[in-house]
Amino acid sequence: MVFAMSRDGRFPVHRLMRRVSPRTQTPVPATVLILAVGVVLMVALPGAALLKLITASTILPASIYGATVVLYPHGAPPVGPHEGRL
């Protein structure tokens, strides 16, 4: 996400974060930033708080996606018949 936002010019220091290594073809500065943020969170938060953060960041997006899939047909306009459709 850091790389994509930097590529689009929507992230602070985007000129640095959008750089891609010519050898590995990966966004090294963006990867190092995420690694540094992860290390800081591991050091700053106690074990239980970090576990809750990881659990919430895993379950919440899946729940939102699941709710979207289930609720989409109820809010979407009806689709009429199309030629060539079964």
Side-chain angles (χ1 to χ4, degrees), residues 7-21:
R7 182 190 59 209
D8 297 340
R10 302 283 185 215
F11 194 79
V13 296
H14 64 340
R15 288 189 181 103
L16 172 66
M17 292 297 151
R18 70 179 174 196
R19 290 185 188 166
V20 175
S21 168

Side-chain angles (χ1 to χ4, degrees), residues 60-76:
L60 190 61
S63 301
I64 292 171
Y65 177 75
T68 303
V69 169
V70 169
L71 296 175
Y72 180 75
H74 299 292

